[in-house]
Amino acid sequence: MRVGMEPLSFVSSALAGQLLKRLGRLAGDRAQELNLLRDEFGDHEELVRFYVEPHLQERNPAARRRGGFQPVPQQPAFALLNRFLDGGQPRNRDGSHQMFLIADAGAGKTSLLLMVKLMQLAGFWPVGCRCELFRLGRDTLAQIAAVDGKSDTVLLLDGLNEDCTARNRVGARLLEILEAGWEFRRVIITCRTYFFPDVISVPAGHMIIRGLAGYNCPVLHLSPLDDRQAQDLVRRRLSWSGSSYLGLQSFGAARLRTRAFQLLDQLEELRLRPLFLQQIEILLEAADERRHWNLYTIYEALLQHWLERKLRTLQEQQSGYLRPPERAEMFNACVRVARWMEGQGQQEIAEKDLWELLCEDANTCWLDRFEPDQCSLLCKTSERAFRFRHSTFREFLLAYALVNDRQPLPFPVRATDQLVRFLELSGGVDAHLTRLDFSGFNLLRYADYHGTLFRWQDQLVRKGGRPPYAGPEMIILPGGRFRMGDIQGDGPENAHPAHEVELDSFGIGRFPVTFAEYEEFCLATGRARPRDEGWGRDRRPVINVSWQDASDYCEWLTRQTGRNYRLPSEAEWEYACRAGSSASYCFGDDEEQLDRYAWHVRNSDRRTQPVGSIQPNAWGLHDMHGNVWEWCADWYAKDSYTIYPARNPSGGEQGAGRVLRGGSWDSSAKFASSYFRFCLSPGLRIIRAGFRVALGG
């Protein structure tokens, strides 16, 4: 901000009422620019008419839902943006004049940038200040380079997560964009929360972006609407649509609002996303047929409504010798468009390419006579190309195609947080793992953000041209807090005191590592195979392996996959074993039930048993109690519960031995408990010890 001078104003809620009038009077180049914005970003009139100014905050709102951070102050977006936009270029080339604006899909990132641009286009900005708004993509760097008067221009760049050149190289792409934006007055870049690199706190007290050393770019998160804002937006929508849309008289407006607010309660956290609130009329119509709402069913209802609307229009336009397509055929046509865009890595499709796709089916070929309107799923640009009205509709259609096996996709679909969430809510991701491209997908962040378990299995490559095979089955666990140690108070001294521990998300093996899995490692590295004592190999847990052997296996997996495989920390192991239980065992305190969950001295026939052959814990993890003691990463210390941090404890740098947990095939019940601790020298190999792998960190 310019010291000693009146701050400049760029955006203001007080001016919103005049904005549409100003935009309606534009002529010449500015009117043409407005039309281009409409093509690229949608109907500005609807945006302005119903826009509710959001709030911004420094911390990720999802952290509050997880309980990781205390609530942080929120401030009106326009006031914060005015402070950021005021003033010239900073003297230091540290990136402080380039801001990142982060939010979930459908939270209003693009809308906020568009409001900033519309305020400039309508003439509300200070004299001499200009603004350019681009959607990030292949041509962005060329577009940026072509801008004149950069030092007086605010550059708005939308949709880093949709930028095909950022796939699997987001850090490198960010550096390209930041370098290209050095000369501008200010730069604002939007990105979906899931796609953005980690933001970490540094000792100086501010947040920095991991992997962008030397940059001090501010990062702000778009807050979800609060209940007051959501209800305000719904009131505006319903009062504008009036009674004609829903066939109601004006005296029913109060009842209609009541129904809408009841529907918001059913939508839970999704009620705070503007993308869905803007469609409240459609959701109200669908509410009579649905009793369960989630992300998948909301998109399904919206698409069904739009397709029904189009079918009615087509029936009115019907030629005498052609039947209109059925809804399923229309749905398949939309899926073909989504597939084409995904395969080409593009956000829009040229008119010629679209009609060729539609004519793959004779029943949809005549759609070339149909012009989309502002309520269509597809929006048409002035350059006669089409794009989905929101990128998440393309993701939904791809998920729908996978779930219903419509038109099997000839290529793996890029896994995004939204697409994976659609699959999870529609019945699970497991069946689709081989049909998705997970390169660049952050498994731990997904589990952490959604608070959900996620099953994962990497594909490993064999030497000598042999076919690839599946690696260890992993369960990705969301981070959380739990009570660690002997909560009941009757266990050994080294399990005291019971204390609260907080962990970040991590993955852990669904089973202990088996002989079959470990032998692939031996074959690939020339290592001697461990003895099985004549008990059998294959699906039995590997034994006679030292802590160092187990660590070497994890390092080999890491080299094979590019993911960070390792041994679990002692705290992670107990968190996974308990699976939410505060009892001595994952199932409770009744030792008589142990035979159902553990191979131990009473039922093991004095040997290991195949993994997964008895009941798992609540998180689907097998053999956490019994079968084999499991090596953990930590050095053992008797008093570690009193000296190590409560957040992500990992043990000391040395100790009496490495920790083992869980008991084995010849353990009594107390040794197989969730809290019992044991240790051995890391070089020892015994018939009672094996391991399971962890992922992340």
Side-chain angles (χ1 to χ4, degrees), residues 49-275:
R49 184 173 290 118
F50 302 118
Y51 193 72
V52 173
E53 180 186 359
H55 291 83
L56 299 175
Q57 60 187 69
E58 292 184 355
R59 300 272 189 179
N60 183 357
R64 180 177 180 181
R65 295 198 293 271
R66 296 191 303 268
F69 293 114
Q70 295 297 318
V72 296
Q74 300 177 354
Q75 298 187 53
F78 290 167
L80 274 177
L81 291 181
N82 280 329
R83 288 201 293 271
F84 174 70
L85 297 174
D86 193 9
Q89 285 185 311
R91 295 179 181 178
N92 299 323
R93 288 171 60 89
D94 62 352
S96 58
H97 69 304
Q98 303 185 80
M99 173 191 288
F100 290 97
L101 185 62
I102 314 301
D104 291 344
K109 303 180 294 295
T110 302
S111 296
L112 181 55
L113 289 194
L114 190 54
M115 286 295 290
V116 173
K117 173 61 183 175
L118 292 174
M119 290 278 183
Q120 179 265 330
L121 202 57
F124 291 127
W125 276 33
V127 176
C129 295
R130 304 190 303 168
C131 180
E132 295 287 350
L133 171 58
F134 300 126
R135 196 184 295 274
L136 281 162
R138 288 190 178 94
D139 301 329
T140 300
L141 296 182
Q143 291 174 314
I144 292 173
V147 174
D148 295 325
K150 293 181 175 63
S151 61
D152 296 321
T153 302
V154 172
L155 179 64
L156 308 177
L157 301 174
D158 186 46
L160 177 65
N161 53 285
E162 292 297 325
D163 184 355
C164 61
T165 66
R167 294 182 183 180
N168 302 324
R169 56 181 299 271
V170 61
R173 182 57 168 170
L174 280 176
L175 291 173
E176 293 171 355
I177 294 169
L178 293 174
E179 182 64 29
W182 276 123
E183 299 178 39
F184 286 83
R185 176 192 181 99
R186 291 290 187 274
V187 181
I188 302 177
I189 305 166
T190 68
C191 184
R192 197 182 291 183
T193 305
Y194 172 84
F195 190 81
F196 197 68
D198 290 334
V199 178
I200 56 177
S201 180
V202 295
H206 59 271
M207 311 296 288
I208 63 170
I209 303 166
R210 189 187 299 275
L212 295 183
Y215 286 86
N216 187 28
C217 303
V219 178
L220 290 177
H221 294 265
L222 196 60
S223 308
L225 299 182
D226 59 31
D227 287 326
R228 180 191 60 78
Q229 291 171 313
Q231 292 180 7
D232 182 29
L233 198 159
V234 167
R235 286 191 186 95
R236 294 190 195 184
R237 293 288 320 187
L238 296 181
S239 62
W240 179 262
S241 60
S243 60
S244 59
Y245 191 91
L246 294 165
L248 298 172
Q249 300 299 319
S250 58
F251 62 79
R255 185 174 62 181
L256 181 60
R257 285 195 298 271
T258 299
R259 284 187 58 216
F261 295 156
Q262 290 172 345
L263 177 58
L264 294 186
D265 291 338
Q266 297 174 33
L267 297 181
E268 298 179 343
E269 287 189 356
L270 296 175
R271 76 188 186 280
L272 306 179
R273 296 195 192 183
L275 177 65

Side-chain angles (χ1 to χ4, degrees), residues 359-481:
C359 286
E360 291 177 2
D361 184 339
N363 293 317
T364 57
C365 190
W366 71 300
L367 288 174
D368 62 349
R369 308 178 188 184
F370 174 70
E371 287 291 326
D373 59 27
Q374 69 178 22
C375 294
S376 295
L377 178 61
L378 289 171
C379 304
K380 189 173 183 179
T381 73
S382 60
E383 297 179 354
R384 305 194 69 78
F386 292 82
R387 65 167 58 243
F388 286 104
R389 64 184 299 162
H390 196 274
S391 62
T392 52
F393 290 108
R394 185 189 74 253
E395 293 168 289
F396 174 81
L397 286 165
L398 292 170
Y400 186 89
L402 290 169
V403 169
N404 296 280
D405 203 27
R406 301 287 179 91
Q407 307 163 18
L409 302 171
F411 51 83
V413 178
R414 181 174 66 103
T416 65
D417 62 317
Q418 198 81 354
L419 187 144
V420 171
R421 187 63 174 161
F422 285 138
L423 293 175
E424 186 179 1
L425 293 171
S426 65
V429 184
D430 294 357
H432 312 291
L433 290 178
T434 60
R435 304 166 73 184
L436 297 174
D437 174 10
F438 280 94
S439 57
F441 186 84
N442 192 321
L443 300 166
L444 303 183
R445 181 179 289 185
Y446 180 87
D448 188 44
Y449 185 78
H450 293 291
T452 183
L453 304 181
F454 187 84
R455 187 172 295 184
W456 176 253
Q457 198 167 19
D458 271 310
Q459 295 296 306
L460 306 181
V461 177
R462 287 186 171 107
K463 287 185 175 180
R466 294 187 301 154
Y469 67 102
E473 290 186 57
M474 306 297 294
I475 303 293
I476 311 299
L477 304 179
R481 296 174 180 172

Side-chain angles (χ1 to χ4, degrees), residues 625-640:
H625 301 297
N627 216 353
V628 288
W629 287 99
E630 298 181 12
W631 289 109
C632 294
D634 311 45
W635 284 104
Y636 173 80
K638 182 178 180 180
D639 58 351
S640 62

